[in-house]
Amino acid sequence: MYGETSEPAVKAGTVIGKTAQFKGEITGNEPLMVKGRVEGTIILDSNVFVEEGGIVQADVTSNSITVSGCVSGNIVASDRAEIIAGGMVTGDVRAPRVVIHDGARMLGRVEMDVNGVPPTPRGDFSRSSTLRSQIKPAATPPPPAPPVVVEEKLPEPIVHVESNEEASNKPDEDTDDTVEVVEESEDKSETRGGGFDFLRRKF
Amino acid sequence: MDGMEETGSVLTERSGTIIGKTAQFKGEIIGDEQLVVEGKVEGTIILENQVFVEKGGIVQADVTSQGITVSGSVSGNIVVSDKAEIIAGGTVVGDIKAPRVVIHDGARILGRIEMDVTSAPLRVR
């Protein structure tokens, strides 16, 4: 869950290296970069990057997720989910902002806030909250804490989506595209509570 | 609903169907010319060509076409043989089935997206 060693300038988080396989649950609040393989559950109060060649077979709950690799599982992002060209998602995606680039592939349901106001730029959530109260007075807003349990959130059939997710947005959470990659950092990706039968290393 | 006027829309030179800004159309549109919706369409759209739902345009219809570009609002299921694209500001409520689906930042969608995830990666351009 840490990894600030060799990248002083970058806010580095967890990196699952190319040859690493991780099984279990990843929780925390630092960015996660997956270049190898993750099975289980990912719950992060930060950004998730599934790099090209990375494979995630897990439900993902995070601030944002950027997929250049392959994700099989449901995604709940409080800010943004993005699928880059070459990336693939099989599963449902729920986020205020979902971006799918040309060349990306997806099979599943996409849920954004359609009934409410247009997606707000980062940091401006006052408008949406006032409008939300006007539009949906009966809607009970959820607690602002980020969602914790993935399994209960997605399978329920949702006919319409209120602009609830925006309540838990963190305006200061910005793009962390520059998270550096440490090849040997598989051993940093250990988390407590994860049944990681971890890593056949190649070297 | 036929027009070649320079309405400032995507359609400048080519012929095709335009549902003008103040027009409301109810029924079925079938053809192989492109369609530009600036007004409102209810019913069914089946075209072997491109469908453009312009900003302010409202489509409450199932759309089957070669491609669709949504800057306005579509309520209904979309099946295209090539590419479905939702521009920022565009809204789709319904399912989309297409080999290529592009959703820009600022677009909104509620529904299922079906692309072919079993074959080799798509070649873009």
Side-chain angles (χ1 to χ4, degrees), chain A residues 16-23 36-39 186 189 196-200:
Chain A
I16 309 288
K18 268 183 192 151
T19 59
Q21 291 198 4
F22 182 93
K23 281 191 192 176
R37 189 177 183 117
V38 172
E39 279 178 51
E186 292 99 331
S189 49
F196 42 87
D197 65 351
F198 189 63
L199 312 182
R200 312 145 196 162

Side-chain angles (χ1 to χ4, degrees), chain A residues 131-142 160 162 164:
Chain A
L131 277 179
R132 188 189 317 140
S133 57
Q134 295 166 4
I135 293 171
K136 296 260 169 201
T140 56
H160 61 89
E162 288 99 12
N164 287 339

Side-chain angles (χ1 to χ4, degrees), chain A residues 80 85-86 88-90 92 96-119 158-161, chain B residues 83 89 91-95 98-125:
Chain A
R80 177 188 170 104
M88 189 166 96
V89 170
T90 309
D92 296 344
R97 297 160 70 198
V98 177
V99 179
I100 300 182
H101 292 257
D102 199 2
R105 289 179 296 168
M106 145 131 215
L107 179 61
R109 201 172 157 73
V110 174
E111 292 183 12
M112 299 190 223
D113 173 25
V114 173
N115 294 326
V117 294
I158 297 174
V159 183
H160 61 89
V161 176
Chain B
K83 178 169 152 182
T91 303
V92 171
V93 180
D95 298 347
R100 295 160 68 197
V101 177
V102 180
I103 299 180
H104 293 258
D105 197 2
R108 290 180 294 173
I109 172 169
L110 177 62
R112 189 174 164 77
I113 294 181
E114 270 187 55
M115 302 161 86
D116 183 12
V117 294
T118 54
S119 63
L122 291 170
R123 294 272 159 261
V124 184
R125 280 177 275 274

Side-chain angles (χ1 to χ4, degrees), chain A residues 7-28:
Chain A
E7 290 84 22
V10 182
K11 181 184 154 199
T14 308
V15 179
I16 309 288
K18 268 183 192 151
T19 59
Q21 291 198 4
F22 182 93
K23 281 191 192 176
E25 187 180 82
I26 301 179
T27 57

Side-chain angles (χ1 to χ4, degrees), chain A residues 145-161:
Chain A
V148 180
V149 184
V150 187
E151 294 81 12
E152 293 182 357
K153 291 206 85 83
L154 273 171
E156 53 183 358
I158 297 174
V159 183
H160 61 89
V161 176

Side-chain angles (χ1 to χ4, degrees), chain A residues 57-69:
Chain A
Q57 293 179 318
D59 290 338
V60 180
T61 303
S62 64
N63 278 359
S64 78
I65 182 168
T66 305
V67 180
S68 310

